[in-house]
mmCIF file of all heavy atoms in Angstrom:
data_model
loop_
_atom_site.group_PDB
_atom_site.id
_atom_site.type_symbol
_atom_site.label_atom_id
_atom_site.label_comp_id
_atom_site.label_asym_id
_atom_site.label_seq_id
_atom_site.Cartn_x
_atom_site.Cartn_y
_atom_site.Cartn_z
ATOM 1 N N ASP B 48 -32.988 -6.616 4.442
ATOM 2 C CA ASP B 48 -33.775 -7.347 3.500
ATOM 3 C C ASP B 48 -32.922 -8.575 3.262
ATOM 4 O O ASP B 48 -31.999 -8.552 2.546
ATOM 5 C CB ASP B 48 -33.990 -6.550 2.282
ATOM 6 C CG ASP B 48 -34.769 -7.322 1.174
ATOM 7 O OD1 ASP B 48 -35.139 -8.467 1.550
ATOM 8 O OD2 ASP B 48 -34.868 -6.824 0.075
ATOM 9 N N TRP B 49 -33.340 -9.734 3.882
ATOM 10 C CA TRP B 49 -32.560 -10.906 3.827
ATOM 11 C C TRP B 49 -32.483 -11.564 2.391
ATOM 12 O O TRP B 49 -31.608 -12.379 2.202
ATOM 13 C CB TRP B 49 -32.920 -11.895 4.854
ATOM 14 C CG TRP B 49 -32.733 -11.422 6.211
ATOM 15 C CD1 TRP B 49 -33.660 -10.830 7.072
ATOM 16 C CD2 TRP B 49 -31.481 -11.327 6.873
ATOM 17 N NE1 TRP B 49 -33.041 -10.447 8.234
ATOM 18 C CE2 TRP B 49 -31.707 -10.695 8.147
ATOM 19 C CE3 TRP B 49 -30.171 -11.617 6.546
ATOM 20 C CZ2 TRP B 49 -30.680 -10.437 8.996
ATOM 21 C CZ3 TRP B 49 -29.157 -11.445 7.518
ATOM 22 C CH2 TRP B 49 -29.407 -10.799 8.706
ATOM 23 N N THR B 50 -33.411 -11.264 1.647
ATOM 24 C CA THR B 50 -33.551 -11.983 0.375
ATOM 25 C C THR B 50 -33.027 -11.109 -0.773
ATOM 26 O O THR B 50 -33.161 -11.507 -1.986
ATOM 27 C CB THR B 50 -34.902 -12.518 0.052
ATOM 28 O OG1 THR B 50 -35.738 -11.338 0.205
ATOM 29 C CG2 THR B 50 -35.309 -13.560 1.057
ATOM 30 N N SER B 51 -32.514 -9.971 -0.431
ATOM 31 C CA SER B 51 -32.176 -9.015 -1.428
ATOM 32 C C SER B 51 -31.145 -9.527 -2.377
ATOM 33 O O SER B 51 -30.116 -10.129 -2.016
ATOM 34 C CB SER B 51 -31.638 -7.687 -0.822
ATOM 35 O OG SER B 51 -30.998 -6.962 -1.753
ATOM 36 N N ARG B 52 -31.352 -9.370 -3.719
ATOM 37 C CA ARG B 52 -30.427 -9.790 -4.600
ATOM 38 C C ARG B 52 -29.776 -8.517 -5.315
ATOM 39 O O ARG B 52 -29.043 -8.625 -6.337
ATOM 40 C CB ARG B 52 -30.967 -10.624 -5.734
ATOM 41 C CG ARG B 52 -31.770 -11.789 -5.113
ATOM 42 C CD ARG B 52 -31.543 -13.092 -5.799
ATOM 43 N NE ARG B 52 -31.662 -14.088 -4.781
ATOM 44 C CZ ARG B 52 -31.266 -15.345 -5.030
ATOM 45 N NH1 ARG B 52 -30.689 -15.624 -6.142
ATOM 46 N NH2 ARG B 52 -31.456 -16.254 -4.096
ATOM 47 N N ALA B 53 -30.289 -7.373 -4.929
ATOM 48 C CA ALA B 53 -29.888 -6.181 -5.602
ATOM 49 C C ALA B 53 -28.418 -5.887 -5.374
ATOM 50 O O ALA B 53 -27.826 -6.370 -4.430
ATOM 51 C CB ALA B 53 -30.739 -5.004 -5.180
ATOM 52 N N ASP B 54 -27.839 -5.039 -6.247
ATOM 53 C CA ASP B 54 -26.471 -4.756 -6.241
ATOM 54 C C ASP B 54 -26.136 -3.699 -5.069
ATOM 55 O O ASP B 54 -25.057 -3.517 -4.666
ATOM 56 C CB ASP B 54 -26.099 -4.048 -7.503
ATOM 57 C CG ASP B 54 -24.713 -4.198 -7.817
ATOM 58 O OD1 ASP B 54 -23.965 -4.733 -6.917
ATOM 59 O OD2 ASP B 54 -24.130 -3.640 -8.797
ATOM 60 N N THR B 55 -27.267 -3.049 -4.554
ATOM 61 C CA THR B 55 -27.029 -2.013 -3.607
ATOM 62 C C THR B 55 -26.912 -2.542 -2.209
ATOM 63 O O THR B 55 -27.443 -3.527 -1.846
ATOM 64 C CB THR B 55 -28.200 -1.025 -3.600
ATOM 65 O OG1 THR B 55 -29.367 -1.801 -3.525
ATOM 66 C CG2 THR B 55 -28.260 -0.222 -4.917
ATOM 67 N N ALA B 56 -26.129 -1.736 -1.418
ATOM 68 C CA ALA B 56 -25.936 -2.154 -0.048
ATOM 69 C C ALA B 56 -27.135 -1.783 0.793
ATOM 70 O O ALA B 56 -27.857 -0.901 0.507
ATOM 71 C CB ALA B 56 -24.656 -1.446 0.487
ATOM 72 N N GLU B 57 -27.338 -2.604 1.869
ATOM 73 C CA GLU B 57 -28.494 -2.262 2.750
ATOM 74 C C GLU B 57 -28.045 -1.189 3.715
ATOM 75 O O GLU B 57 -26.967 -1.040 4.026
ATOM 76 C CB GLU B 57 -28.840 -3.533 3.525
ATOM 77 C CG GLU B 57 -29.151 -4.707 2.742
ATOM 78 C CD GLU B 57 -30.613 -4.789 2.467
ATOM 79 O OE1 GLU B 57 -31.365 -4.459 3.348
ATOM 80 O OE2 GLU B 57 -30.963 -5.212 1.350
ATOM 81 N N LEU B 58 -29.106 -0.368 4.126
ATOM 82 C CA LEU B 58 -28.904 0.627 5.206
ATOM 83 C C LEU B 58 -27.773 1.545 4.868
ATOM 84 O O LEU B 58 -26.966 1.953 5.753
ATOM 85 C CB LEU B 58 -28.674 -0.079 6.520
ATOM 86 C CG LEU B 58 -29.732 -1.057 6.942
ATOM 87 C CD1 LEU B 58 -29.167 -1.769 8.140
ATOM 88 C CD2 LEU B 58 -30.979 -0.414 7.286
ATOM 89 N N ALA B 59 -27.542 1.852 3.588
ATOM 90 C CA ALA B 59 -26.322 2.623 3.227
ATOM 91 C C ALA B 59 -26.473 4.089 3.718
ATOM 92 O O ALA B 59 -27.610 4.627 3.734
ATOM 93 C CB ALA B 59 -26.144 2.587 1.744
ATOM 94 N N ARG B 60 -25.407 4.673 4.166
ATOM 95 C CA ARG B 60 -25.330 6.014 4.603
ATOM 96 C C ARG B 60 -24.072 6.627 4.126
ATOM 97 O O ARG B 60 -23.034 5.893 3.979
ATOM 98 C CB ARG B 60 -25.310 6.191 6.074
ATOM 99 C CG ARG B 60 -26.650 5.904 6.771
ATOM 100 C CD ARG B 60 -27.564 7.147 6.710
ATOM 101 N NE ARG B 60 -28.825 6.816 7.333
ATOM 102 C CZ ARG B 60 -29.725 5.941 6.898
ATOM 103 N NH1 ARG B 60 -29.516 5.308 5.795
ATOM 104 N NH2 ARG B 60 -30.886 5.690 7.547
ATOM 105 N N SER B 61 -24.074 7.865 3.762
ATOM 106 C CA SER B 61 -22.845 8.452 3.226
ATOM 107 C C SER B 61 -22.627 9.879 3.670
ATOM 108 O O SER B 61 -23.686 10.666 3.647
ATOM 109 C CB SER B 61 -22.871 8.345 1.694
ATOM 110 O OG SER B 61 -21.765 8.984 1.187
ATOM 111 N N PHE B 62 -21.511 10.310 4.128
ATOM 112 C CA PHE B 62 -21.252 11.606 4.475
ATOM 113 C C PHE B 62 -19.926 12.074 3.804
ATOM 114 O O PHE B 62 -19.078 11.318 3.564
ATOM 115 C CB PHE B 62 -20.962 11.776 6.055
ATOM 116 C CG PHE B 62 -22.024 11.080 6.865
ATOM 117 C CD1 PHE B 62 -21.820 9.763 7.301
ATOM 118 C CD2 PHE B 62 -23.129 11.709 7.240
ATOM 119 C CE1 PHE B 62 -22.744 9.111 8.044
ATOM 120 C CE2 PHE B 62 -24.083 11.062 7.999
ATOM 121 C CZ PHE B 62 -23.852 9.742 8.408
ATOM 122 N N ASP B 63 -19.898 13.365 3.483
ATOM 123 C CA ASP B 63 -18.618 13.907 2.912
ATOM 124 C C ASP B 63 -17.531 13.804 3.977
ATOM 125 O O ASP B 63 -17.747 14.176 5.113
ATOM 126 C CB ASP B 63 -18.810 15.287 2.421
ATOM 127 C CG ASP B 63 -19.202 15.275 0.987
ATOM 128 O OD1 ASP B 63 -19.138 14.253 0.335
ATOM 129 O OD2 ASP B 63 -19.571 16.421 0.564
ATOM 130 N N TRP B 64 -16.316 13.465 3.510
ATOM 131 C CA TRP B 64 -15.215 13.460 4.441
ATOM 132 C C TRP B 64 -14.220 14.555 3.977
ATOM 133 O O TRP B 64 -14.086 15.584 4.585
ATOM 134 C CB TRP B 64 -14.539 12.078 4.493
ATOM 135 C CG TRP B 64 -13.331 11.940 5.354
ATOM 136 C CD1 TRP B 64 -12.874 12.865 6.255
ATOM 137 C CD2 TRP B 64 -12.393 10.870 5.296
ATOM 138 N NE1 TRP B 64 -11.671 12.346 6.842
ATOM 139 C CE2 TRP B 64 -11.359 11.185 6.273
ATOM 140 C CE3 TRP B 64 -12.296 9.649 4.562
ATOM 141 C CZ2 TRP B 64 -10.327 10.304 6.493
ATOM 142 C CZ3 TRP B 64 -11.204 8.845 4.821
ATOM 143 C CH2 TRP B 64 -10.256 9.196 5.774
ATOM 144 N N ILE B 65 -13.566 14.333 2.834
ATOM 145 C CA ILE B 65 -12.696 15.358 2.204
ATOM 146 C C ILE B 65 -13.205 15.519 0.832
ATOM 147 O O ILE B 65 -12.754 14.796 -0.055
ATOM 148 C CB ILE B 65 -11.259 14.923 2.344
ATOM 149 C CG1 ILE B 65 -10.864 14.829 3.850
ATOM 150 C CG2 ILE B 65 -10.367 15.890 1.634
ATOM 151 C CD1 ILE B 65 -9.604 14.118 4.019
ATOM 152 N N PRO B 66 -14.051 16.485 0.534
ATOM 153 C CA PRO B 66 -14.685 16.564 -0.791
ATOM 154 C C PRO B 66 -13.664 16.882 -1.869
ATOM 155 O O PRO B 66 -13.839 16.403 -2.954
ATOM 156 C CB PRO B 66 -15.630 17.730 -0.556
ATOM 157 C CG PRO B 66 -15.385 18.322 0.720
ATOM 158 C CD PRO B 66 -14.459 17.489 1.572
ATOM 159 N N GLU B 67 -12.539 17.537 -1.501
ATOM 160 C CA GLU B 67 -11.574 17.805 -2.556
ATOM 161 C C GLU B 67 -11.042 16.562 -3.186
ATOM 162 O O GLU B 67 -10.633 16.582 -4.336
ATOM 163 C CB GLU B 67 -10.433 18.629 -2.057
ATOM 164 C CG GLU B 67 -10.739 20.074 -1.716
ATOM 165 C CD GLU B 67 -11.108 20.248 -0.253
ATOM 166 O OE1 GLU B 67 -11.496 19.258 0.298
ATOM 167 O OE2 GLU B 67 -11.047 21.395 0.310
ATOM 168 N N LEU B 68 -10.886 15.551 -2.428
ATOM 169 C CA LEU B 68 -10.401 14.308 -2.820
ATOM 170 C C LEU B 68 -11.518 13.304 -3.285
ATOM 171 O O LEU B 68 -11.200 12.198 -3.668
ATOM 172 C CB LEU B 68 -9.544 13.626 -1.821
ATOM 173 C CG LEU B 68 -8.069 14.283 -1.680
ATOM 174 C CD1 LEU B 68 -7.425 13.762 -0.502
ATOM 175 C CD2 LEU B 68 -7.295 13.844 -2.844
ATOM 176 N N GLY B 69 -12.717 13.691 -3.035
ATOM 177 C CA GLY B 69 -13.804 12.764 -3.297
ATOM 178 C C GLY B 69 -13.940 11.671 -2.216
ATOM 179 O O GLY B 69 -14.520 10.635 -2.545
ATOM 180 N N LEU B 70 -13.401 12.016 -1.083
ATOM 181 C CA LEU B 70 -13.473 10.917 -0.007
ATOM 182 C C LEU B 70 -14.804 11.044 0.746
ATOM 183 O O LEU B 70 -15.256 12.106 1.113
ATOM 184 C CB LEU B 70 -12.298 11.111 1.000
ATOM 185 C CG LEU B 70 -10.894 10.859 0.475
ATOM 186 C CD1 LEU B 70 -9.911 10.728 1.615
ATOM 187 C CD2 LEU B 70 -10.888 9.608 -0.252
#
Side-chain angles (χ1 to χ4, degrees):
Chain B
D48 176 6
W49 292 102
T50 52
S51 164
R52 313 224 149 192
D54 201 5
T55 49
E57 302 271 319
L58 307 169
R60 287 281 179 289
S61 177
F62 313 92
D63 267 350
W64 177 15
I65 296 169
E67 287 94 340
L68 281 168
L70 295 192

